[in-house]
Amino acid sequence: MTAPRIAFIGAGNMAASLIGGLRAQGVDASAIRASDHGAEQRAKINAEHGIQTFAANAEAIVGADVIVLAVKPQVMKAVCLDLAAHIGANQLIVSIAAGITCASLESWLGPRAIVRCMPNTPALLRQGVSGLYANQQVSATQRQQAEQLLGAVGLALWLEQEQQIDAVTAVSGSGPAYFFLLIEAMTAAGEKLGLPRDTAAQLTLHTALGAARMAVASEVDAAELRRRVTSPAGTTEAAINSFQAGGFEALVEQALNAAARRSAELAEQLGQ
Ligand SMILES: NC(=O)c1ccc[n+]([C@@H]2O[C@H](COP(=O)([O-])OP(=O)(O)OC[C@H]3O[C@@H](n4cnc5c(N)ncnc54)[C@H](OP(=O)(O)O)[C@@H]3O)[C@@H](O)[C@H]2O)c1
């Protein structure tokens, strides 16, 4: 596959991460263009990545194989309506905007090959994970192009149904904040048990990192890993029993359901 030419509409945080990831993969700067309405943002992205930048979105997409819509969801409709007449039949649209459905994009852009993605914040460190959904018009080559793009900032996983994006939003899109909440709570509890705050924070953070690395590298699932570190009548079992007596699993399920419902509601509102 020859390297696709990629145009970014909106050169903010997420676009910068994707561009950085592509450049780190060896993609040539000449294959990447970006537009942003902010002169400062254009200068920054140009200085950091050596790519050509444009003030006009329609100019950035000329000759591109892939057009990445990387503006905030609130401005997506205006950006799409403005670009619609300039997009060619063979150009793939990749949208990373939260809550913007393929149906909304098609109502603004016309029938197109569209890949809708839900990345998460650790993509800024190239440690993200994204769910990707391709509509019917997307070719096998275009799927590879989208996968390479999102793969530049972490793991990219395909979804069968667009609706699953709401579940992805609930699990991984909003997920980093759940772990931050647990980190906050464990740090505070460690402090109450007599540790200096900084020590409690470091112990918690490195435990989270070590546990995640162990689980990612492991051939067995998290439940088995937990069983292996929980000896009968031991300290871990005392804590796990306490979590479960408080309805931990049900609470997590309830929280993720709330996030998925909110994701669907926002898609409804943003698609108007
Ligand atoms: N950051 C994340 O972790 C994350 C995770 C999942 C999904 N996303 C999605 O990624 C998208 C981008 O997020 P972000 O965090 O990168 O936002 P961001 O930093 O605000 O980037 C968007 C950029 O687009 C510019 N822009 C606004 N209107 C424009 C227009 N009409 N034409 C050209 N450029 C325009 C903005 O300029 P101004 O700031 O001057 O308006 C800004 O530089 C969002 O749709 C978001 O839902 C982000």
Side-chain angles (χ1 to χ4, degrees):
M1 180 171 69
T2 56
R5 288 156 299 176
I6 304 176
F8 288 84
I9 305 301
N13 291 317
M14 199 43 92
S17 304
L18 288 162
I19 294 166
L22 289 168
R23 296 283 292 118
Q25 280 183 345
V27 173
D28 201 84
S30 65
I32 309 171
R33 299 165 140 218
S35 63
D36 197 286
H37 64 180
E40 218 172 282
Q41 197 58 26
R42 289 197 301 276
K44 186 165 171 256
I45 210 100
N46 174 271
E48 276 173 18
H49 302 290
I51 64 162
Q52 211 179 348
T53 57
F54 300 84
N57 294 337
E59 279 180 42
I61 69 169
V62 175
D65 301 296
V66 181
I67 299 169
V68 186
L69 301 175
V71 292
K72 291 278 189 211
Q74 293 76 6
V75 298
M76 190 61 92
K77 182 178 182 180
V79 165
C80 287
L81 292 176
D82 197 43
L83 268 183
H86 304 276
I87 301 177
N90 296 325
Q91 292 183 303
L92 170 68
I93 304 292
V94 174
S95 167
I96 61 166
I100 303 287
T101 64
C102 288
S104 297
L105 291 168
E106 289 200 60
S107 76
W108 304 328
L109 297 170
R112 306 257 171 225
I114 297 172
V115 172
R116 183 179 164 201
C117 311
M118 185 62 210
N120 65 358
T121 330
L124 305 176
L125 306 175
R126 289 179 216 150
Q127 296 288 322
V129 61
S130 312
L132 279 67
Y133 170 78
N135 75 358
Q136 293 288 331
Q137 288 96 311
V138 176
S139 70
T141 303
Q142 289 175 324
R143 278 175 84 98
Q144 283 178 0
Q145 291 170 339
E147 198 175 315
Q148 188 206 354
L149 174 72
L150 272 300
V153 289
L155 187 65
L157 301 172
W158 285 103
L159 305 169
E160 292 289 322
Q161 295 158 27
E162 185 174 2
Q163 234 185 356
Q164 292 171 322
I165 292 263
D166 293 328
V168 171
T169 305
V171 175
S172 56
S174 301
Y178 316 155
F179 287 99
F180 298 150
L181 182 65
L182 184 61
I183 287 167
E184 278 174 68
M186 282 178 63
T187 301
E191 201 180 0
K192 283 190 187 147
L193 283 169
L195 293 168
R197 183 162 183 82
D198 188 50
T199 305
Q202 294 294 329
L203 289 168
T204 304
L205 286 173
H206 287 272
T207 301
L209 187 64
R213 286 204 172 135
M214 244 180 109
V216 166
S218 173
E219 281 170 12
V220 297
D221 65 9
E224 177 56 23
L225 283 176
R226 175 166 62 79
R227 274 192 288 274
R228 287 182 189 176
V229 294
T230 310
S231 20
T235 57
T236 311
E237 189 181 75
I240 300 283
N241 284 347
S242 178
F243 273 128
Q244 291 182 328
F248 186 75
E249 284 95 341
L251 186 62
V252 171
E253 187 181 333
Q254 193 184 313
L256 267 68
N257 280 337
R261 264 198 315 277
R262 187 68 190 129
S263 170
E265 279 167 17
L266 286 173
E268 188 72 33
Q269 286 165 19
L270 291 163
Q272 307 284 313

